[in-house]
Amino acid sequence: MAFKAIAPSPKTSDHKSAIIPPNPNPTMNLSPTAREIQAKLSQLSLSEQTWLMEYLAQQIRQTLTPQPDWTDDLTVMAADPQIQAELAAIDAEFAPTEMDGLA
């Protein structure tokens, strides 16, 4: 997606008219929410637009990064006798605090 730089017109501020985004792909069906966001982007300051772009990039990176599946590891740990003994020791250590109503 390329952006075309243009000179600002005297009637508009520099940060809102310096860049014209391309029109979305005509075959792309934008949701009403996406169309509303697109329409309101021009109301944001340049710093707000920059923050939003960085936020969106971070969200996309997190979505595309595979999240580890700990299910198998947790199952093995839960069955481990040493871990079970440690959990029992922790339970015994904190048993008196259960009576104070904070547990």
Side-chain angles (χ1 to χ4, degrees):
M1 199 179 277
F3 289 94
K4 181 173 112 178
I6 62 167
S9 70
K11 295 181 180 179
T12 60
S13 64
D14 291 348
H15 69 83
K16 292 184 181 176
S17 63
I19 297 176
I20 296 178
N23 290 330
N25 182 338
T27 61
M28 176 185 271
N29 290 327
L30 292 178
S31 69
T33 302
R35 290 197 186 282
E36 181 180 350
I37 291 169
Q38 181 185 25
K40 292 187 178 191
L41 281 176
S42 64
Q43 297 173 13
L44 298 176
S45 68
L46 180 58
S47 63
E48 290 171 324
Q49 290 179 20
T50 303
W51 173 87
L52 182 59
M53 284 179 34
E54 291 171 358
Y55 174 80
L56 291 171
Q58 179 182 3
Q59 293 299 310
I60 291 168
R61 280 191 298 272
Q62 287 177 355
T63 301
L64 296 177
T65 303
Q67 301 300 315
D69 182 9
W70 300 99
T71 307
D72 293 339
D73 294 334
L74 292 174
T75 303
V76 170
M77 289 174 64
D80 186 319
Q82 288 180 316
I83 291 179
Q84 290 177 354
E86 185 65 29
L87 290 174
I90 292 170
D91 282 344
E93 181 181 351
F94 287 95
T97 63
E98 291 181 12
M99 301 303 286
D100 66 11
L102 298 176

